């Protein structure tokens, strides 16, 4: 259907915190699956499921998150 779009994505985040006397850095990486459904011409619903791996110096951890959103779109010009 023209109203539904879905996909997958990858993510990489480098995080660094420095404030004397502390210094910390880590890498986070993972992926997600998402879908978007156009309810009306300008109104849509969006959902996403994401898994990220955190490489901490002491131990690695895995985080999961789920998002459900709604949005409104508007065209930048009338020509489209």
């Amino acid at each position: 259907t023209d109203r539904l779009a879905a996909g997958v994505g990858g993510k990489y985040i480098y995080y660094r915190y420095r404030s004397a006397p502390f210094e910390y850095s880590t890498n986070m990486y993972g992926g997600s699956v998402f879908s978007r459904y156009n309810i009306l011409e300008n109104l849509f619903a969006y959902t996403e499921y994401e898994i990220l791996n955190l490489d901490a110096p002491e131990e690695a951890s895995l985080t999961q998150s789920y998002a459900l959103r709604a949005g409104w779109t508007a065209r930048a010009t009338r020509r489209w």
Side-chain angles (χ1 to χ4, degrees):
T1 177
D2 291 341
R3 297 177 139 203
L4 180 65
V8 296
K11 184 179 282 189
Y12 172 78
I13 302 168
Y14 173 74
Y15 176 77
R16 184 175 181 181
Y17 175 79
R18 292 191 318 180
S19 180
F22 303 104
E23 184 171 341
Y24 175 78
S25 66
T26 189
N27 297 289
M28 293 177 267
Y29 53 91
S32 65
V33 293
F34 63 89
S35 65
R36 176 177 160 156
Y37 183 76
N38 293 324
I39 300 166
L40 300 172
E41 183 179 344
N42 294 341
L43 181 67
F44 67 88
Y46 177 87
T47 185
E48 182 176 11
Y49 175 71
E50 178 181 69
I51 297 176
L52 288 177
N53 184 45
L54 171 63
D55 282 339
E58 298 80 30
E59 66 180 63
S61 66
L62 190 69
T63 62
Q64 302 177 50
S65 63
Y66 181 76
L68 178 61
R69 301 179 181 115
W72 181 265
T73 60
R75 296 186 188 261
T77 65
R78 293 184 184 259
R79 297 166 82 184
W80 295 5

